[in-house]
Amino acid sequence: MKKIPFSKFTSYGNNFVLVDELNSPIFGETEKGRFAHFATNMYFGIGSDNFLVVQRCTRKVLDSINQVRGYWNELPDLHEADFIFRMFEPDGTEAFSCGNGLMCIANYLFRTYQLASVKIVTEIPTNHPKIIDIGTERDGQSSWANLGQPRKITQDLFKPEIAQLYDDIILTVDNLEIGFRAHDLEPFSNQTRLTLKGYIVFTGEPHMVIYPEKDGILSGFEEVFFATSEYASTLGKPAERRVDFGIWLVDRIGLALNNTYKNMFPAGISINFARPVSTPGEKGILEYRCFERGIFKETLACGTGAVAVSYISKRLNKIIPGENTILPYRCRLHEPESKIKIHENETGECRIIGFPVMLVNGEFELNHL
C-alpha cells in the first residue's frame, strides 16, 4: 500500500487535490493521469474538480514528461522558470492552464516554502509552453496569477467553419443550434430549439462567452441563468426551482455544444454565460458562470473563464477598462460575498487576483494504480 501525501485547496469553490513533487517524484509520468481518477472521485477517492502537480522546471523533468507524452519535437527552452504547473482532468487527460489552480499553487508555495513570487510553466501539453508569474501577498491572504495577454484561439483547437473575426483576437460564432425535447424548457419557455451566439478567446484555456440578454438570443432566460430570490418571488415560483433549472440548462448547453460541434471544437471548449451588473459606487462588475470542457460540467468558478469574460466584455464596451470585479454566480450561492478581481495592464496582460483556501493536508492510501 502506497501513501500519497496531498493538500486539498479551494478557490471560489473550484477545488483541487495538489501533490508536491518538488523534492522527489511521487508518481511516474504514466501514473499521474491514472491517479487523477482517485483525486477527483468523490465516492471512492478524495474528491475534487482536478488533480494538480507542481514540479521543478529542469531539463530532466521536461525530458521525463516528453518521453511519455511526446508533446514536443525537441525540449522547449524554459530555463527561466522555477516550477512546472500540471493539471489533470478526471479522465486523466492533461489540461493547459487554470487560473484558480495557479492561485492555489501560489498559496501553497507561500505556505510551505515562503515563496512570495515564482515563475511557473503552464500550457505544458502544447507546442509552446508558457512561463508566467504567480504569487501571494505578504499577508498570506490574496494570491494572484499573471495569465498574460489573451490570444486568438489556434486552429488545432478551433475549426472556424462558421466563425467571423470580431477583432484580431476575438472570434464570433453565430447560429449554434441546440435542440430540446418537447416540454424540456417548461414552464420557462415552450421553445424546443435555442440559437446561440458566442465570442471565443484563448486565455490559457479555450473559452466561449455568451451574453444571454444580447440580441434576444436567449430571450426570456436572463433570470434563469442568474436567478435571484427577488425575481423568483415576483413570479410566484420558488427561487430554488429557477436555480435548479439554470444549473440543468447550463450543463445541457455545455454538453450539447461540446458534442454537437465536436468537429469545430476538437479539444472541447468551456462555455461562459455573463452579464454586466450595476452596483452603487462600483463600476466594471460582471456576473458569470462557466461550464468547463475537461470536467464536462459547471464548476462553482473558473479562473481562465473569468479572464475571458473580463477581456471580451471590455472589447464589447460592456464594462470600462482597468481592474474589474467578476462575481462567480454559482460560488455566490454558497458564499455571497465572493469576488474575483481581474487587472488588465497597459500592455493587455491580465492578472487574476483571489483568495484560495487550504482545506486539508492528508495522505491517501493507494492500493493500486
Side-chain angles (χ1 to χ4, degrees), residues 130 132-133 144-151 202-203 303-304 306-312 314-315 322 324 341-353:
K130 185 177 181 180
I132 67 168
D133 296 308
W144 52 269
N146 185 344
L147 296 179
Q149 297 178 343
R151 287 159 277 164
F202 187 84
T203 58
T304 54
V307 172
V309 165
S310 174
Y311 180 83
I312 291 174
K314 289 173 187 174
R315 272 66 193 174
N324 302 112
K341 294 289 185 180
I342 306 293
H343 177 78
E344 184 178 340
N345 66 19
E346 61 278 0
T347 65
E349 293 184 333
C350 294
R351 173 180 289 205
I352 181 170
I353 305 160

PDB file of all heavy atoms in Angstrom, residues 130 132-133 144-151 202-203 303-304 306-312 314-315 322 324 341-353:
ATOM      1  N   LYS A 130       4.223  28.063 -21.747  1.00  0.00           N
ATOM      2  CA  LYS A 130       4.353  29.477 -21.427  1.00  0.00           C
ATOM      3  C   LYS A 130       4.830  29.664 -19.997  1.00  0.00           C
ATOM      4  O   LYS A 130       4.369  28.970 -19.090  1.00  0.00           O
ATOM      5  CB  LYS A 130       2.982  30.147 -21.622  1.00  0.00           C
ATOM      6  CG  LYS A 130       2.972  31.651 -21.436  1.00  0.00           C
ATOM      7  CD  LYS A 130       1.583  32.179 -21.723  1.00  0.00           C
ATOM      8  CE  LYS A 130       1.540  33.691 -21.563  1.00  0.00           C
ATOM      9  NZ  LYS A 130       0.188  34.222 -21.841  1.00  0.00           N
ATOM     10  N   ILE A 132       4.830  32.058 -16.797  1.00  0.00           N
ATOM     11  CA  ILE A 132       4.094  33.175 -16.218  1.00  0.00           C
ATOM     12  C   ILE A 132       4.539  33.376 -14.772  1.00  0.00           C
ATOM     13  O   ILE A 132       5.237  32.541 -14.195  1.00  0.00           O
ATOM     14  CB  ILE A 132       2.565  32.942 -16.267  1.00  0.00           C
ATOM     15  CG1 ILE A 132       2.169  31.784 -15.335  1.00  0.00           C
ATOM     16  CG2 ILE A 132       2.088  32.694 -17.686  1.00  0.00           C
ATOM     17  CD1 ILE A 132       0.682  31.672 -15.111  1.00  0.00           C
ATOM     18  N   ASP A 133       4.130  34.489 -14.184  1.00  0.00           N
ATOM     19  CA  ASP A 133       4.411  34.794 -12.783  1.00  0.00           C
ATOM     20  C   ASP A 133       3.171  34.516 -11.946  1.00  0.00           C
ATOM     21  O   ASP A 133       2.046  34.860 -12.341  1.00  0.00           O
ATOM     22  CB  ASP A 133       4.804  36.261 -12.612  1.00  0.00           C
ATOM     23  CG  ASP A 133       6.105  36.595 -13.326  1.00  0.00           C
ATOM     24  OD1 ASP A 133       7.093  35.880 -13.098  1.00  0.00           O
ATOM     25  OD2 ASP A 133       6.122  37.560 -14.116  1.00  0.00           O
ATOM     26  N   TRP A 144      -2.301  35.549  -6.644  1.00  0.00           N
ATOM     27  CA  TRP A 144      -2.530  36.067  -7.989  1.00  0.00           C
ATOM     28  C   TRP A 144      -1.767  35.235  -9.016  1.00  0.00           C
ATOM     29  O   TRP A 144      -0.832  34.500  -8.689  1.00  0.00           O
ATOM     30  CB  TRP A 144      -2.118  37.539  -8.099  1.00  0.00           C
ATOM     31  CG  TRP A 144      -0.706  37.811  -7.615  1.00  0.00           C
ATOM     32  CD1 TRP A 144      -0.325  38.161  -6.357  1.00  0.00           C
ATOM     33  CD2 TRP A 144       0.499  37.710  -8.381  1.00  0.00           C
ATOM     34  NE1 TRP A 144       1.042  38.289  -6.285  1.00  0.00           N
ATOM     35  CE2 TRP A 144       1.575  38.025  -7.510  1.00  0.00           C
ATOM     36  CE3 TRP A 144       0.782  37.395  -9.709  1.00  0.00           C
ATOM     37  CZ2 TRP A 144       2.902  38.031  -7.938  1.00  0.00           C
ATOM     38  CZ3 TRP A 144       2.115  37.395 -10.141  1.00  0.00           C
ATOM     39  CH2 TRP A 144       3.147  37.719  -9.265  1.00  0.00           C
ATOM     40  N   ALA A 145      -2.204  35.364 -10.257  1.00  0.00           N
ATOM     41  CA  ALA A 145      -1.514  34.731 -11.378  1.00  0.00           C
ATOM     42  C   ALA A 145      -1.627  35.663 -12.574  1.00  0.00           C
ATOM     43  O   ALA A 145      -2.717  36.114 -12.917  1.00  0.00           O
ATOM     44  CB  ALA A 145      -2.122  33.376 -11.702  1.00  0.00           C
ATOM     45  N   ASN A 146      -0.495  35.976 -13.181  1.00  0.00           N
ATOM     46  CA  ASN A 146      -0.483  36.795 -14.386  1.00  0.00           C
ATOM     47  C   ASN A 146      -0.605  35.863 -15.585  1.00  0.00           C
ATOM     48  O   ASN A 146       0.358  35.214 -15.979  1.00  0.00           O
ATOM     49  CB  ASN A 146       0.805  37.608 -14.462  1.00  0.00           C
ATOM     50  CG  ASN A 146       0.806  38.569 -15.650  1.00  0.00           C
ATOM     51  OD1 ASN A 146       0.007  38.435 -16.570  1.00  0.00           O
ATOM     52  ND2 ASN A 146       1.703  39.535 -15.623  1.00  0.00           N
ATOM     53  N   LEU A 147      -1.787  35.779 -16.151  1.00  0.00           N
ATOM     54  CA  LEU A 147      -2.051  34.848 -17.247  1.00  0.00           C
ATOM     55  C   LEU A 147      -1.633  35.403 -18.596  1.00  0.00           C
ATOM     56  O   LEU A 147      -1.789  34.737 -19.626  1.00  0.00           O
ATOM     57  CB  LEU A 147      -3.526  34.459 -17.263  1.00  0.00           C
ATOM     58  CG  LEU A 147      -4.014  33.684 -16.035  1.00  0.00           C
ATOM     59  CD1 LEU A 147      -5.494  33.368 -16.149  1.00  0.00           C
ATOM     60  CD2 LEU A 147      -3.223  32.402 -15.839  1.00  0.00           C
ATOM     61  N   GLY A 148      -1.096  36.639 -18.608  1.00  0.00           N
ATOM     62  CA  GLY A 148      -0.603  37.219 -19.857  1.00  0.00           C
ATOM     63  C   GLY A 148      -1.717  37.773 -20.718  1.00  0.00           C
ATOM     64  O   GLY A 148      -2.851  37.963 -20.284  1.00  0.00           O
ATOM     65  N   GLN A 149      -1.388  38.018 -21.966  1.00  0.00           N
ATOM     66  CA  GLN A 149      -2.363  38.570 -22.904  1.00  0.00           C
ATOM     67  C   GLN A 149      -3.246  37.473 -23.473  1.00  0.00           C
ATOM     68  O   GLN A 149      -2.740  36.434 -23.910  1.00  0.00           O
ATOM     69  CB  GLN A 149      -1.637  39.277 -24.050  1.00  0.00           C
ATOM     70  CG  GLN A 149      -0.809  40.470 -23.643  1.00  0.00           C
ATOM     71  CD  GLN A 149      -0.071  41.082 -24.820  1.00  0.00           C
ATOM     72  OE1 GLN A 149       0.077  40.453 -25.866  1.00  0.00           O
ATOM     73  NE2 GLN A 149       0.391  42.300 -24.667  1.00  0.00           N
ATOM     74  N   PRO A 150      -4.556  37.656 -23.451  1.00  0.00           N
ATOM     75  CA  PRO A 150      -5.425  36.714 -24.157  1.00  0.00           C
ATOM     76  C   PRO A 150      -5.025  36.629 -25.626  1.00  0.00           C
ATOM     77  O   PRO A 150      -4.536  37.597 -26.207  1.00  0.00           O
ATOM     78  CB  PRO A 150      -6.816  37.315 -23.981  1.00  0.00           C
ATOM     79  CG  PRO A 150      -6.713  38.076 -22.682  1.00  0.00           C
ATOM     80  CD  PRO A 150      -5.331  38.662 -22.698  1.00  0.00           C
ATOM     81  N   ARG A 151      -5.246  35.454 -26.210  1.00  0.00           N
ATOM     82  CA  ARG A 151      -4.786  35.215 -27.577  1.00  0.00           C
ATOM     83  C   ARG A 151      -5.916  34.671 -28.451  1.00  0.00           C
ATOM     84  O   ARG A 151      -6.907  34.157 -27.954  1.00  0.00           O
ATOM     85  CB  ARG A 151      -3.643  34.189 -27.557  1.00  0.00           C
ATOM     86  CG  ARG A 151      -2.324  34.709 -27.017  1.00  0.00           C
ATOM     87  CD  ARG A 151      -1.437  33.559 -26.547  1.00  0.00           C
ATOM     88  NE  ARG A 151      -1.792  33.140 -25.193  1.00  0.00           N
ATOM     89  CZ  ARG A 151      -1.393  31.983 -24.660  1.00  0.00           C
ATOM     90  NH1 ARG A 151      -0.676  31.138 -25.368  1.00  0.00           N
ATOM     91  NH2 ARG A 151      -1.725  31.670 -23.428  1.00  0.00           N
ATOM     92  N   PHE A 202      -8.707  32.662 -26.294  1.00  0.00           N
ATOM     93  CA  PHE A 202      -7.854  31.725 -25.563  1.00  0.00           C
ATOM     94  C   PHE A 202      -7.166  32.472 -24.439  1.00  0.00           C
ATOM     95  O   PHE A 202      -6.436  33.435 -24.672  1.00  0.00           O
ATOM     96  CB  PHE A 202      -6.817  31.103 -26.499  1.00  0.00           C
ATOM     97  CG  PHE A 202      -6.002  30.009 -25.860  1.00  0.00           C
ATOM     98  CD1 PHE A 202      -6.481  28.707 -25.807  1.00  0.00           C
ATOM     99  CD2 PHE A 202      -4.759  30.279 -25.294  1.00  0.00           C
ATOM    100  CE1 PHE A 202      -5.738  27.692 -25.221  1.00  0.00           C
ATOM    101  CE2 PHE A 202      -4.010  29.284 -24.700  1.00  0.00           C
ATOM    102  CZ  PHE A 202      -4.491  27.981 -24.664  1.00  0.00           C
ATOM    103  N   THR A 203      -7.395  32.043 -23.196  1.00  0.00           N
ATOM    104  CA  THR A 203      -6.797  32.694 -22.018  1.00  0.00           C
ATOM    105  C   THR A 203      -5.971  31.692 -21.207  1.00  0.00           C
ATOM    106  O   THR A 203      -5.929  31.753 -19.988  1.00  0.00           O
ATOM    107  CB  THR A 203      -7.891  33.316 -21.126  1.00  0.00           C
ATOM    108  OG1 THR A 203      -8.816  32.281 -20.738  1.00  0.00           O
ATOM    109  CG2 THR A 203      -8.629  34.437 -21.846  1.00  0.00           C
ATOM    110  N   GLY A 303     -11.098  30.333 -13.265  1.00  0.00           N
ATOM    111  CA  GLY A 303     -10.208  31.483 -13.349  1.00  0.00           C
ATOM    112  C   GLY A 303      -9.949  31.952 -14.758  1.00  0.00           C
ATOM    113  O   GLY A 303     -10.067  33.148 -15.072  1.00  0.00           O
ATOM    114  N   THR A 304      -9.591  31.034 -15.671  1.00  0.00           N
ATOM    115  CA  THR A 304      -9.365  31.446 -17.054  1.00  0.00           C
ATOM    116  C   THR A 304     -10.674  31.919 -17.687  1.00  0.00           C
ATOM    117  O   THR A 304     -10.666  32.774 -18.583  1.00  0.00           O
ATOM    118  CB  THR A 304      -8.762  30.299 -17.881  1.00  0.00           C
ATOM    119  OG1 THR A 304      -9.593  29.134 -17.760  1.00  0.00           O
ATOM    120  CG2 THR A 304      -7.351  29.972 -17.409  1.00  0.00           C
ATOM    121  N   ALA A 306     -13.026  33.601 -16.001  1.00  0.00           N
ATOM    122  CA  ALA A 306     -13.208  34.966 -15.502  1.00  0.00           C
ATOM    123  C   ALA A 306     -12.390  35.957 -16.335  1.00  0.00           C
ATOM    124  O   ALA A 306     -12.847  37.057 -16.649  1.00  0.00           O
ATOM    125  CB  ALA A 306     -12.812  35.050 -14.031  1.00  0.00           C
ATOM    126  N   VAL A 307     -11.175  35.557 -16.710  1.00  0.00           N
ATOM    127  CA  VAL A 307     -10.335  36.417 -17.554  1.00  0.00           C
ATOM    128  C   VAL A 307     -10.976  36.592 -18.929  1.00  0.00           C
ATOM    129  O   VAL A 307     -11.019  37.705 -19.478  1.00  0.00           O
ATOM    130  CB  VAL A 307      -8.916  35.841 -17.674  1.00  0.00           C
ATOM    131  CG1 VAL A 307      -8.105  36.616 -18.708  1.00  0.00           C
ATOM    132  CG2 VAL A 307      -8.204  35.890 -16.321  1.00  0.00           C
ATOM    133  N   ALA A 308     -11.483  35.504 -19.500  1.00  0.00           N
ATOM    134  CA  ALA A 308     -12.125  35.586 -20.812  1.00  0.00           C
ATOM    135  C   ALA A 308     -13.338  36.507 -20.777  1.00  0.00           C
ATOM    136  O   ALA A 308     -13.535  37.345 -21.675  1.00  0.00           O
ATOM    137  CB  ALA A 308     -12.533  34.188 -21.282  1.00  0.00           C
ATOM    138  N   VAL A 309     -14.152  36.377 -19.748  1.00  0.00           N
ATOM    139  CA  VAL A 309     -15.344  37.216 -19.606  1.00  0.00           C
ATOM    140  C   VAL A 309     -14.954  38.684 -19.473  1.00  0.00           C
ATOM    141  O   VAL A 309     -15.548  39.569 -20.101  1.00  0.00           O
ATOM    142  CB  VAL A 309     -16.173  36.743 -18.397  1.00  0.00           C
ATOM    143  CG1 VAL A 309     -17.202  37.793 -17.997  1.00  0.00           C
ATOM    144  CG2 VAL A 309     -16.852  35.414 -18.706  1.00  0.00           C
ATOM    145  N   SER A 310     -13.955  38.967 -18.646  1.00  0.00           N
ATOM    146  CA  SER A 310     -13.500  40.347 -18.463  1.00  0.00           C
ATOM    147  C   SER A 310     -12.955  40.917 -19.759  1.00  0.00           C
ATOM    148  O   SER A 310     -13.311  42.026 -20.172  1.00  0.00           O
ATOM    149  CB  SER A 310     -12.427  40.391 -17.371  1.00  0.00           C
ATOM    150  OG  SER A 310     -11.868  41.681 -17.255  1.00  0.00           O
ATOM    151  N   TYR A 311     -12.091  40.163 -20.418  1.00  0.00           N
ATOM    152  CA  TYR A 311     -11.434  40.654 -21.632  1.00  0.00           C
ATOM    153  C   TYR A 311     -12.438  40.941 -22.745  1.00  0.00           C
ATOM    154  O   TYR A 311     -12.438  42.013 -23.350  1.00  0.00           O
ATOM    155  CB  TYR A 311     -10.407  39.618 -22.100  1.00  0.00           C
ATOM    156  CG  TYR A 311      -9.651  40.015 -23.344  1.00  0.00           C
ATOM    157  CD1 TYR A 311      -8.535  40.843 -23.267  1.00  0.00           C
ATOM    158  CD2 TYR A 311     -10.048  39.555 -24.598  1.00  0.00           C
ATOM    159  CE1 TYR A 311      -7.841  41.210 -24.414  1.00  0.00           C
ATOM    160  CE2 TYR A 311      -9.363  39.915 -25.738  1.00  0.00           C
ATOM    161  CZ  TYR A 311      -8.258  40.734 -25.644  1.00  0.00           C
ATOM    162  OH  TYR A 311      -7.573  41.099 -26.794  1.00  0.00           O
ATOM    163  N   ILE A 312     -13.314  39.977 -23.011  1.00  0.00           N
ATOM    164  CA  ILE A 312     -14.283  40.160 -24.099  1.00  0.00           C
ATOM    165  C   ILE A 312     -15.267  41.268 -23.769  1.00  0.00           C
ATOM    166  O   ILE A 312     -15.630  42.083 -24.634  1.00  0.00           O
ATOM    167  CB  ILE A 312     -15.003  38.831 -24.386  1.00  0.00           C
ATOM    168  CG1 ILE A 312     -14.016  37.840 -25.018  1.00  0.00           C
ATOM    169  CG2 ILE A 312     -16.213  39.041 -25.284  1.00  0.00           C
ATOM    170  CD1 ILE A 312     -14.574  36.448 -25.214  1.00  0.00           C
ATOM    171  N   LYS A 314     -14.828  43.950 -22.086  1.00  0.00           N
ATOM    172  CA  LYS A 314     -14.211  45.264 -22.325  1.00  0.00           C
ATOM    173  C   LYS A 314     -14.219  45.593 -23.808  1.00  0.00           C
ATOM    174  O   LYS A 314     -14.501  46.727 -24.198  1.00  0.00           O
ATOM    175  CB  LYS A 314     -12.782  45.277 -21.787  1.00  0.00           C
ATOM    176  CG  LYS A 314     -12.690  45.270 -20.273  1.00  0.00           C
ATOM    177  CD  LYS A 314     -11.253  45.115 -19.818  1.00  0.00           C
ATOM    178  CE  LYS A 314     -11.180  44.945 -18.300  1.00  0.00           C
ATOM    179  NZ  LYS A 314      -9.809  44.655 -17.845  1.00  0.00           N
ATOM    180  N   ARG A 315     -13.898  44.618 -24.636  1.00  0.00           N
ATOM    181  CA  ARG A 315     -13.854  44.865 -26.086  1.00  0.00           C
ATOM    182  C   ARG A 315     -15.240  45.112 -26.647  1.00  0.00           C
ATOM    183  O   ARG A 315     -15.377  45.774 -27.663  1.00  0.00           O
ATOM    184  CB  ARG A 315     -13.197  43.684 -26.798  1.00  0.00           C
ATOM    185  CG  ARG A 315     -11.666  43.793 -26.900  1.00  0.00           C
ATOM    186  CD  ARG A 315     -11.016  43.732 -25.563  1.00  0.00           C
ATOM    187  NE  ARG A 315      -9.608  44.122 -25.550  1.00  0.00           N
ATOM    188  CZ  ARG A 315      -8.899  44.240 -24.447  1.00  0.00           C
ATOM    189  NH1 ARG A 315      -9.466  44.030 -23.261  1.00  0.00           N
ATOM    190  NH2 ARG A 315      -7.643  44.606 -24.499  1.00  0.00           N
ATOM    191  N   GLY A 322      -9.426  48.606 -17.127  1.00  0.00           N
ATOM    192  CA  GLY A 322      -8.806  48.700 -15.808  1.00  0.00           C
ATOM    193  C   GLY A 322      -9.046  47.446 -15.004  1.00  0.00           C
ATOM    194  O   GLY A 322      -9.136  46.348 -15.548  1.00  0.00           O
ATOM    195  N   ASN A 324     -11.317  44.999 -12.887  1.00  0.00           N
ATOM    196  CA  ASN A 324     -12.737  44.685 -12.865  1.00  0.00           C
ATOM    197  C   ASN A 324     -13.035  43.636 -11.805  1.00  0.00           C
ATOM    198  O   ASN A 324     -12.177  42.841 -11.430  1.00  0.00           O
ATOM    199  CB  ASN A 324     -13.199  44.173 -14.233  1.00  0.00           C
ATOM    200  CG  ASN A 324     -12.933  45.179 -15.332  1.00  0.00           C
ATOM    201  OD1 ASN A 324     -12.096  44.945 -16.188  1.00  0.00           O
ATOM    202  ND2 ASN A 324     -13.622  46.303 -15.292  1.00  0.00           N
ATOM    203  N   LYS A 341     -10.989  39.483  -8.752  1.00  0.00           N
ATOM    204  CA  LYS A 341     -10.502  40.694  -9.395  1.00  0.00           C
ATOM    205  C   LYS A 341      -9.675  40.324 -10.625  1.00  0.00           C
ATOM    206  O   LYS A 341      -8.839  39.417 -10.584  1.00  0.00           O
ATOM    207  CB  LYS A 341      -9.634  41.507  -8.434  1.00  0.00           C
ATOM    208  CG  LYS A 341     -10.384  42.068  -7.230  1.00  0.00           C
ATOM    209  CD  LYS A 341     -11.320  43.195  -7.618  1.00  0.00           C
ATOM    210  CE  LYS A 341     -11.967  43.836  -6.384  1.00  0.00           C
ATOM    211  NZ  LYS A 341     -12.888  44.941  -6.757  1.00  0.00           N
ATOM    212  N   ILE A 342      -9.900  41.032 -11.725  1.00  0.00           N
ATOM    213  CA  ILE A 342      -9.091  40.896 -12.932  1.00  0.00           C
ATOM    214  C   ILE A 342      -8.496  42.263 -13.251  1.00  0.00           C
ATOM    215  O   ILE A 342      -9.236  43.229 -13.474  1.00  0.00           O
ATOM    216  CB  ILE A 342      -9.916  40.404 -14.137  1.00  0.00           C
ATOM    217  CG1 ILE A 342     -10.664  39.111 -13.809  1.00  0.00           C
ATOM    218  CG2 ILE A 342      -9.001  40.228 -15.355  1.00  0.00           C
ATOM    219  CD1 ILE A 342      -9.797  37.921 -13.571  1.00  0.00           C
ATOM    220  N   HIS A 343      -7.176  42.329 -13.247  1.00  0.00           N
ATOM    221  CA  HIS A 343      -6.495  43.583 -13.573  1.00  0.00           C
ATOM    222  C   HIS A 343      -5.804  43.429 -14.920  1.00  0.00           C
ATOM    223  O   HIS A 343      -4.994  42.534 -15.111  1.00  0.00           O
ATOM    224  CB  HIS A 343      -5.469  43.953 -12.511  1.00  0.00           C
ATOM    225  CG  HIS A 343      -4.707  45.201 -12.847  1.00  0.00           C
ATOM    226  ND1 HIS A 343      -5.243  46.461 -12.672  1.00  0.00           N
ATOM    227  CD2 HIS A 343      -3.470  45.375 -13.374  1.00  0.00           C
ATOM    228  CE1 HIS A 343      -4.373  47.362 -13.067  1.00  0.00           C
ATOM    229  NE2 HIS A 343      -3.289  46.729 -13.499  1.00  0.00           N
ATOM    230  N   GLU A 344      -6.153  44.291 -15.850  1.00  0.00           N
ATOM    231  CA  GLU A 344      -5.510  44.307 -17.165  1.00  0.00           C
ATOM    232  C   GLU A 344      -4.622  45.544 -17.257  1.00  0.00           C
ATOM    233  O   GLU A 344      -5.095  46.670 -17.108  1.00  0.00           O
ATOM    234  CB  GLU A 344      -6.554  44.324 -18.277  1.00  0.00           C
ATOM    235  CG  GLU A 344      -5.953  44.255 -19.668  1.00  0.00           C
ATOM    236  CD  GLU A 344      -7.014  44.214 -20.766  1.00  0.00           C
ATOM    237  OE1 GLU A 344      -8.174  43.860 -20.465  1.00  0.00           O
ATOM    238  OE2 GLU A 344      -6.675  44.539 -21.919  1.00  0.00           O
ATOM    239  N   ASN A 345      -3.326  45.334 -17.488  1.00  0.00           N
ATOM    240  CA  ASN A 345      -2.405  46.471 -17.535  1.00  0.00           C
ATOM    241  C   ASN A 345      -2.379  47.090 -18.925  1.00  0.00           C
ATOM    242  O   ASN A 345      -3.110  46.663 -19.839  1.00  0.00           O
ATOM    243  CB  ASN A 345      -1.003  46.066 -17.059  1.00  0.00           C
ATOM    244  CG  ASN A 345      -0.322  45.072 -17.984  1.00  0.00           C
ATOM    245  OD1 ASN A 345      -0.695  44.905 -19.150  1.00  0.00           O
ATOM    246  ND2 ASN A 345       0.705  44.409 -17.479  1.00  0.00           N
ATOM    247  N   GLU A 346      -1.515  48.092 -19.092  1.00  0.00           N
ATOM    248  CA  GLU A 346      -1.492  48.853 -20.343  1.00  0.00           C
ATOM    249  C   GLU A 346      -1.030  48.021 -21.538  1.00  0.00           C
ATOM    250  O   GLU A 346      -1.306  48.359 -22.693  1.00  0.00           O
ATOM    251  CB  GLU A 346      -0.598  50.094 -20.193  1.00  0.00           C
ATOM    252  CG  GLU A 346       0.864  49.806 -19.864  1.00  0.00           C
ATOM    253  CD  GLU A 346       1.090  49.551 -18.387  1.00  0.00           C
ATOM    254  OE1 GLU A 346       0.118  49.596 -17.606  1.00  0.00           O
ATOM    255  OE2 GLU A 346       2.254  49.298 -18.016  1.00  0.00           O
ATOM    256  N   THR A 347      -0.342  46.909 -21.300  1.00  0.00           N
ATOM    257  CA  THR A 347       0.100  46.040 -22.396  1.00  0.00           C
ATOM    258  C   THR A 347      -0.892  44.926 -22.678  1.00  0.00           C
ATOM    259  O   THR A 347      -0.659  44.094 -23.560  1.00  0.00           O
ATOM    260  CB  THR A 347       1.481  45.430 -22.083  1.00  0.00           C
ATOM    261  OG1 THR A 347       1.373  44.570 -20.945  1.00  0.00           O
ATOM    262  CG2 THR A 347       2.504  46.525 -21.800  1.00  0.00           C
ATOM    263  N   GLY A 348      -1.998  44.886 -21.932  1.00  0.00           N
ATOM    264  CA  GLY A 348      -3.019  43.878 -22.166  1.00  0.00           C
ATOM    265  C   GLY A 348      -2.850  42.599 -21.384  1.00  0.00           C
ATOM    266  O   GLY A 348      -3.625  41.653 -21.562  1.00  0.00           O
ATOM    267  N   GLU A 349      -1.843  42.537 -20.485  1.00  0.00           N
ATOM    268  CA  GLU A 349      -1.681  41.357 -19.654  1.00  0.00           C
ATOM    269  C   GLU A 349      -2.740  41.334 -18.556  1.00  0.00           C
ATOM    270  O   GLU A 349      -3.007  42.364 -17.930  1.00  0.00           O
ATOM    271  CB  GLU A 349      -0.289  41.318 -19.039  1.00  0.00           C
ATOM    272  CG  GLU A 349       0.822  41.109 -20.054  1.00  0.00           C
ATOM    273  CD  GLU A 349       2.179  40.980 -19.386  1.00  0.00           C
ATOM    274  OE1 GLU A 349       2.355  41.537 -18.274  1.00  0.00           O
ATOM    275  OE2 GLU A 349       3.057  40.326 -19.960  1.00  0.00           O
ATOM    276  N   CYS A 350      -3.293  40.160 -18.324  1.00  0.00           N
ATOM    277  CA  CYS A 350      -4.387  40.021 -17.363  1.00  0.00           C
ATOM    278  C   CYS A 350      -3.913  39.262 -16.131  1.00  0.00           C
ATOM    279  O   CYS A 350      -3.408  38.141 -16.230  1.00  0.00           O
ATOM    280  CB  CYS A 350      -5.566  39.289 -17.996  1.00  0.00           C
ATOM    281  SG  CYS A 350      -6.357  40.214 -19.335  1.00  0.00           S
ATOM    282  N   ARG A 351      -4.107  39.883 -14.979  1.00  0.00           N
ATOM    283  CA  ARG A 351      -3.761  39.255 -13.703  1.00  0.00           C
ATOM    284  C   ARG A 351      -5.044  38.934 -12.954  1.00  0.00           C
ATOM    285  O   ARG A 351      -5.898  39.800 -12.771  1.00  0.00           O
ATOM    286  CB  ARG A 351      -2.888  40.192 -12.866  1.00  0.00           C
ATOM    287  CG  ARG A 351      -2.633  39.687 -11.454  1.00  0.00           C
ATOM    288  CD  ARG A 351      -1.770  40.632 -10.642  1.00  0.00           C
ATOM    289  NE  ARG A 351      -0.389  40.630 -11.095  1.00  0.00           N
ATOM    290  CZ  ARG A 351       0.646  40.957 -10.323  1.00  0.00           C
ATOM    291  NH1 ARG A 351       0.454  41.293  -9.058  1.00  0.00           N
ATOM    292  NH2 ARG A 351       1.865  40.933 -10.808  1.00  0.00           N
ATOM    293  N   ILE A 352      -5.183  37.685 -12.534  1.00  0.00           N
ATOM    294  CA  ILE A 352      -6.323  37.281 -11.724  1.00  0.00           C
ATOM    295  C   ILE A 352      -5.901  37.304 -10.263  1.00  0.00           C
ATOM    296  O   ILE A 352      -4.810  36.835  -9.910  1.00  0.00           O
ATOM    297  CB  ILE A 352      -6.847  35.887 -12.139  1.00  0.00           C
ATOM    298  CG1 ILE A 352      -8.063  35.509 -11.291  1.00  0.00           C
ATOM    299  CG2 ILE A 352      -5.773  34.820 -12.091  1.00  0.00           C
ATOM    300  CD1 ILE A 352      -8.784  34.262 -11.786  1.00  0.00           C
ATOM    301  N   ILE A 353      -6.754  37.867  -9.417  1.00  0.00           N
ATOM    302  CA  ILE A 353      -6.447  38.043  -8.001  1.00  0.00           C
ATOM    303  C   ILE A 353      -7.597  37.456  -7.189  1.00  0.00           C
ATOM    304  O   ILE A 353      -8.765  37.784  -7.414  1.00  0.00           O
ATOM    305  CB  ILE A 353      -6.278  39.533  -7.658  1.00  0.00           C
ATOM    306  CG1 ILE A 353      -5.227  40.175  -8.570  1.00  0.00           C
ATOM    307  CG2 ILE A 353      -5.894  39.727  -6.196  1.00  0.00           C
ATOM    308  CD1 ILE A 353      -5.315  41.683  -8.657  1.00  0.00           C
TER     309      ILE A 353
END
